[in-house]
Amino acid sequence: MTSDNTLPSAHDVVAFWRNAGPERWFAKSDAFDADCIATLAHAHQAAASGRLDHWADTGEGALALLVLLDQFPRNAWRQNPHMLATDGLALAVARRAVEAGFDRQAEASLQRFFYLPFMHSEVLAEQERSVELNATQDANTQHFAVLHRDIVARFGRFPHRNRMLGRTSTPEEQQFLDDGGFAG
């Protein structure tokens, strides 16, 4: 077990993510995934266990928690149910941070990370909130917010998660996937 004083600070987490930049944030890369794991794994565990909840009291801390709880798992555990395990925690942090206005205090390129937990939810109301929040973002980000919302509105969930989560796809979901529907 790692002690809190050997963990990166919230500032360090945000700096790591900022320095990685948009070209690495959403691209599949074994090298970047390994770098994320080496840099953030212990902090993710601390955040998932609630030891870093106090970070949510500041904009930078909330952003760091969102990286650790929402984005890091998607790099560390691709196509493993664990990648979704802290989504609920991330959504709670995002709700609180948006309510506090921390998203509007963040630099433009990092604001989207306050909104991604809404986009990752399989709850239609959260998807509607995602579309609303992402309206302030670039056209590509807004496109993905609408796409995610439309999938959840149509199916009530993300069909591309079914196999990973051991869910049985409906015939309509399977046809959507077979036709090249969104894969995450």
Side-chain angles (χ1 to χ4, degrees):
M1 205 64 168
T2 306
S3 67
D4 287 350
N5 63 359
T6 63
L7 295 173
S9 67
H11 178 79
D12 293 338
V13 171
V14 171
F16 169 82
W17 201 252
R18 180 188 299 110
N19 292 338
E23 63 282 347
R24 294 178 78 192
W25 290 337
F26 304 111
K28 293 180 181 174
S29 164
D30 291 341
F32 182 58
D33 291 353
D35 197 16
C36 283
I37 292 166
T39 306
L40 303 176
H42 294 297
H44 165 77
Q45 292 169 350
S49 69
R51 293 190 354 245
L52 303 179
D53 285 355
H54 62 282
W55 284 10
D57 295 337
T58 68
E60 184 174 58
L63 178 56
L65 284 173
L66 293 169
V67 168
L68 293 172
L69 297 171
D70 186 71
Q71 292 302 295
F72 169 79
R74 285 167 167 76
N75 290 87
W77 298 289
R78 293 184 188 275
Q79 298 307 310
N80 179 309
H82 194 75
M83 73 180 256
L84 308 174
T86 54
D87 278 8
L89 296 173
L91 186 57
V93 171
R95 283 185 190 127
R96 183 175 166 199
V98 168
E99 185 175 309
F102 293 154
D103 57 321
R104 293 182 305 278
Q105 295 171 9
E107 61 192 74
S109 66
L110 295 173
Q111 285 179 348
R112 72 186 76 194
F113 296 103
F114 288 92
Y115 310 147
L116 281 170
F118 296 94
M119 193 186 300
H120 292 148
S121 174
E122 290 186 320
V123 175
L124 185 56
E126 304 297 358
Q127 287 295 325
E128 295 292 354
R129 184 76 170 125
S130 167
V131 170
E132 176 187 323
L133 291 166
N134 280 295
T136 64
Q137 300 299 299
D138 62 82
N140 188 55
T141 301
Q142 178 64 7
H143 164 77
F144 279 103
V146 170
L147 176 65
H148 281 72
R149 189 263 328 266
D150 290 351
I151 292 169
V152 171
R154 179 176 174 188
F155 299 109
R157 61 188 184 176
F158 293 116
H160 68 276
R161 292 181 182 175
N162 289 350
R163 178 176 287 153
M164 176 179 65
L165 295 175
R167 302 186 303 207
T168 302
S169 292
T170 66
E172 185 182 12
E173 288 174 333
Q174 192 57 56
Q175 187 64 52
F176 172 76
L177 295 171
D178 291 346
D179 290 345
F182 185 73

